[in-house]
């Protein structure tokens, strides 16, 4: 910006401020441009530019033969009052229809800690940025101009085609429509908004994924926690809940249950599907890390065998790429996908075209699956290393117990003692992990409530009970932690685990 431009804008700002503060009244004539130029020791053309700016903004009008005047219809007194208020800042009283309780940014960012046991965190250091950069450069060098305008909110056609081909070949999902979302959380939110209303019920796993619960609850729906055991959710308890009515959705993480890592076996999957058909309940299948399964081929998703068309399949590239890529997708029958696409159009007219086209090229040229194979081998090696480390702690006499997960990116560890307060202690030692408390739909109940429920003594129940207390009571003591093994190398895992065990068992270690 030139010096002349700075001067004319400064003059315009000063005159505007004088008008707002009533130093110059409505309809009052301004000094001529020549006089103002003399008073301010500037060129007349600079003053003319400032006056033209005020005319364009509506503060001043130019009258033939009478020069410039302040316009007549400015609410000057109101402006003065606002200026006085502005000197003592106040908070506007917003009337929220629904007030959100979750933080815009997390209080604790896992990636900031040198020992990051976050269960869903990939090792972003291993992502082939140079390889991906070449695809992005190709996209920018030869852009498809028509695709860069507003258009289909379902996502870029090239990427939809590549993901659909990948799902047909690797996950046996066919005869469904696919839509790309800004991460799987956006898909969960839109589905919730479209299918749920106040009074509806959503069946969820007792231990599960809080962001999904938050999306369901924002609609006014009620969550019903379904009992779990070592094989996953209990179909008998699910049948009891369905029989009570008003359940619209069942949310599941069947391949690697979040957070326990248990794989739901075929028998239970079939029981659950039959119950969903019987009671007309849609299933949201969140297959968040299907790619990483080590001991065998993973069980095909429930969406792969869905004759009733009631499964809504959600997955993401966040575990293979990184969360910031914001590429998730939802697969369902056409009637639902059309409505989700229409809803997304209200939220956001267009997807990130350049990123999606770059990912499509990456998939077309084989880089996607090459990276997948490398990371699967690496994460299996890291799982085995963590298992070896944990077994060595068992041999030292520590009361830890765990099942080796067939896949996924974490181990669900029973510490054998209360872990309340453990997270905060570990953060002070630069270790991030998640504890059972964070995944439990119903927190530990007060002793008097637990005793009253156990004895069925309704007369002794305290006031202000939490809603929808399940008939199966949660454990009184939280003992489990989730140890992610994907994001760290062997040295980092060794050092981090040593801190965890020392913090947990102190002198016993």
């Amino acid at each position: 910006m030139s010096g002349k431009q700075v001067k004319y804008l400064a003059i315009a700002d000063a005159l505007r401020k004088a008008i707002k503060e009533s130093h110059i009244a409505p309809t009052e004539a301004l000094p001529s441009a020549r006089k103002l130029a003399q008073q301010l020791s500037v060129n007349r053309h600079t003053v003319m530019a400032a006056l033209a700016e005020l005319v364009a903004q509506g503060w001043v009008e130019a009258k033939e033969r009478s020069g410039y005047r302040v316009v007549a219809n400015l609410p000057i007194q109101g402006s003065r009052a606002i200026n006085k208020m502005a000197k003592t800042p106040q908070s506007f009283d917003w009337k929220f229809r629904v007030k959100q309780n979750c933080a815009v940014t997390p209080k604790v960012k896992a990636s900031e800690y040198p020992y990051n046991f976050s269960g869903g965190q990939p090792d972003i250091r291993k992502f082939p940025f140079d390889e991906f950069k070449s695809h992005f450069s190709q996209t920018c060098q030869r852009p498809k101009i028509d695709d860069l305008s507003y258009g289909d909110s379902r996502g870029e056609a090239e990427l939809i085609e590549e993901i659909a081909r990948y799902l047909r070949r690797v996950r046996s999902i066919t005869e469904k429509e696919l839509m790309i979302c800004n991460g799987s959380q956006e898909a969960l939110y839109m589905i919730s908004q479209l299918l749920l209303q106040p009074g509806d019920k959503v069946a969820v796993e007792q231990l599960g994924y809080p962001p999904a619960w938050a999306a369901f609850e924002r609609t006014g729906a009620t969550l019903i926690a379904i009992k779990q055991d070592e094989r996953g959710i209990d179909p008998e308890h699910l049948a009891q809940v369905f029989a009570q009515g008003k359940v619209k959705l069942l949310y599941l993480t069947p391949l690697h249950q979040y957070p326990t890592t248990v794989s739901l076996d075929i028998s239970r999957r079939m029981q659950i599907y039959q119950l969903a058909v019987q009671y007309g309940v849609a299933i949201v299948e969140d297959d968040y890390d299907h790619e990483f399964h080590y001991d065998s081929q993973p069980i095909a998703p429930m969406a792969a065998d869905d004759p009733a068309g009631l499964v809504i399949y959600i997955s993401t590239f966040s575990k293979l790429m990184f969360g910031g890529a914001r590429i998730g997708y939802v697969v369902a029958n056409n009637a639902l996908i059309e409505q989700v696409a229409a809803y997304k159009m209200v939220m956001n007219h267009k997807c990130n075209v350049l990123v999606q086209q770059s990912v499509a090229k990456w998939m077309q040229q084989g880089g996607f699956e090459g990276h997948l194979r490398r990371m699967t081998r690496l994460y299996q090696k890291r799982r085995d290393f963590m298992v070896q480390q944990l077994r060595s702690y068992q041999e030292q006499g520590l009361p830890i117990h765990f099942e080796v997960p067939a896949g996924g990116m974490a181990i669900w560890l029973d510490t054998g003692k209360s872990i309340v307060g453990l997270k905060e202690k570990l953060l002070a030692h630069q270790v991030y992990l998640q504890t059972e408390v964070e995944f439990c739909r119903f927190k530990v109940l007060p002793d008097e409530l637990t005793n009253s429920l156990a004895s069925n003594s309704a007369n002794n129940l305290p006031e202000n009970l939490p809603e929808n207390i399940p008939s199966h009571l949660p454990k009184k003591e939280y003992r489990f932690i989730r140890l992610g093994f994907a994001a760290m190398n062997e040295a980092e895992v060794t050092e981090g685990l040593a801190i965890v065990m020392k913090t947990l068992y102190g002198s016993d270690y």
Side-chain angles (χ1 to χ4, degrees), residues 22-211:
S22 297
H23 299 308
I24 308 174
T27 72
E28 183 176 341
L30 298 178
S32 68
R34 188 179 302 278
K35 286 184 179 180
L36 279 173
Q38 291 173 349
Q39 292 172 6
L40 299 173
S41 301
V42 297
N43 188 287
R44 178 172 171 270
H45 293 293
T46 302
V47 173
M48 292 294 292
L51 293 171
E53 180 75 12
L54 292 173
V55 170
Q57 293 180 9
W59 292 94
V60 170
E61 58 186 357
K63 295 268 188 181
E64 191 175 352
R65 297 180 182 176
S66 61
Y68 293 91
R69 292 180 179 272
V70 178
V71 296
N73 59 348
L74 286 176
I76 297 299
Q77 296 302 318
S79 296
R80 292 181 67 184
I82 290 171
N83 288 338
K84 288 180 180 179
M85 290 170 60
K87 292 176 183 178
T88 55
Q90 299 178 25
S91 178
F92 184 75
D93 185 18
W94 297 104
K95 305 297 183 184
F96 295 103
R97 181 180 66 84
V98 177
K99 196 164 185 179
Q100 308 299 318
N101 296 320
C102 55
V104 176
T105 55
K107 294 178 181 178
V108 179
K109 194 174 179 180
S111 59
E112 294 178 355
Y113 291 85
Y115 306 110
N116 176 13
F117 288 100
S118 178
Q121 183 74 33
D123 193 341
I124 301 175
R125 297 169 297 187
K126 299 294 185 180
F127 185 76
F129 286 103
D130 288 341
E131 177 184 83
F132 188 76
K133 177 184 175 183
S134 69
H135 300 304
F136 193 85
S137 296
Q138 291 174 28
T139 301
C140 292
Q141 288 168 1
R142 292 183 290 277
K144 298 180 180 179
I145 302 301
D146 290 343
D147 292 341
L148 297 177
S149 184
Y150 295 113
D152 193 350
S153 59
R154 296 187 187 211
E156 280 303 286
E158 286 180 88
L159 185 56
I160 289 174
E161 182 179 346
E162 288 301 318
I163 295 176
R165 181 183 295 117
Y166 172 71
L167 293 181
R168 284 195 301 271
R169 186 165 51 81
V170 177
R171 304 188 195 179
S172 302
I173 296 177
T174 60
E175 299 179 357
K176 287 181 179 286
E177 297 296 320
L178 186 149
M179 173 178 163
I180 300 170
C181 301
N182 187 33
S184 58
Q185 186 65 22
E186 182 182 75
L188 286 166
Y189 176 79
M190 292 190 294
I191 288 165
S192 302
Q193 293 295 315
L194 286 167
L195 299 182
L196 299 173
Q197 57 186 345
D200 287 339
K201 297 177 183 178
V202 180
V204 300
E205 296 149 322
Q206 169 71 52
L207 292 167
Y209 185 53

Side-chain angles (χ1 to χ4, degrees), residues 310-324:
L310 55 75
V311 177
I312 305 166
Y313 182 80
I314 294 174
S315 193
T316 178
F317 280 7
S318 294
K319 305 299 182 286
L320 182 63
M321 296 179 67
F322 40 85

Side-chain angles (χ1 to χ4, degrees), residues 377-406:
R377 289 194 296 268
L378 177 64
Y379 291 164
Q380 181 174 5
K381 182 181 177 183
R382 289 182 175 180
R383 179 204 63 173
D384 294 344
F385 181 78
M386 182 176 278
V387 167
Q388 175 189 335
Q389 292 287 301
L390 293 175
R391 284 176 175 162
S392 72
Y393 284 116
Q394 286 179 321
E395 291 170 359
Q396 295 176 49
L398 296 189
I400 60 175
H401 301 280
F402 63 96
E403 296 292 331
V404 178

